[in-house]
Amino acid sequence: GHDETGRFIPYVHRADGAVTVEALKGYNETGLGNYYLLPKMTKQPQIIDPFFYAINGEDRLVTSISVPIMREGVFVGVIGMDLMVSTMADALKGVTLYDTGHLLLADSDGTIFYHPQAQMVGETLHNILGDEEDALLTSALKTGDQVEFDYALDVNSTNNRYVLSPVSIGDKHWLVGSIVPVTEVEAETSSMVM
């Protein structure tokens, strides 16, 4: 459970049906090592936005919950747990809203970590939305308030109703987003009115 420095940094996980212990990697690198660096810097528990980490030789999308270990007010280490994003996303697979709508999950930066179209994972909502909609997204991520708007990606695409509902994760807000074609939402309303 240590690396070449002798530092005790065990990463315990299952591999091929057995419990495996290996040394953590990248703990001093900004970004990759935020699971260690942020609790060390802030002296507060942290929930890290999803990131790719090599587990058993395969890059897996994980999120980390890390708590600093303090001794007499001095930082001495971190204890943490990783959660596989795929485990969280499995509950959403196959969910359809109205006829063709879907859900997405995005982290506190607006980066999509679950979408029914796999190629959308890793894209940021900030690059997909227009300026007005992006301002609403930014507000939702800061305040934790739900936002709703209609938006078409381009002139030839379907106008969709976006409802972005922030979920508080520690001191951050992740998003559960629903995207449904406006025509499907309005058809239901028209039917109810009739």
Side-chain angles (χ1 to χ4, degrees), residues 123-167:
E123 293 291 328
T124 176
L125 288 167
H126 294 289
N127 292 340
I128 295 170
L129 300 173
D131 291 342
E132 287 179 34
E133 296 78 15
D134 186 51
L136 292 170
L137 166 67
T138 300
S139 173
L141 290 171
K142 282 184 182 172
T143 65
D145 295 331
Q146 178 177 298
V147 295
E148 181 178 324
F149 53 86
D150 294 348
Y151 183 69
L153 294 176
D154 57 52
V155 293
N156 297 320
S157 64
T158 303
N159 197 29
N160 288 309
R161 173 124 337 127
Y162 287 72
V163 178
L164 303 176
S165 303
V167 176

Side-chain angles (χ1 to χ4, degrees), residues 82-93:
D82 287 343
L83 300 172
M84 298 294 186
V85 170
S86 59
T87 303
M88 294 185 288
D90 282 347
L92 301 179
K93 287 183 180 172

Side-chain angles (χ1 to χ4, degrees), residues 11-28:
Y11 185 60
V12 181
H13 61 93
R14 287 197 180 277
D16 300 324
V19 175
T20 302
V21 178
E22 61 184 74
L24 284 164
K25 298 174 184 73
Y27 53 87
N28 276 326

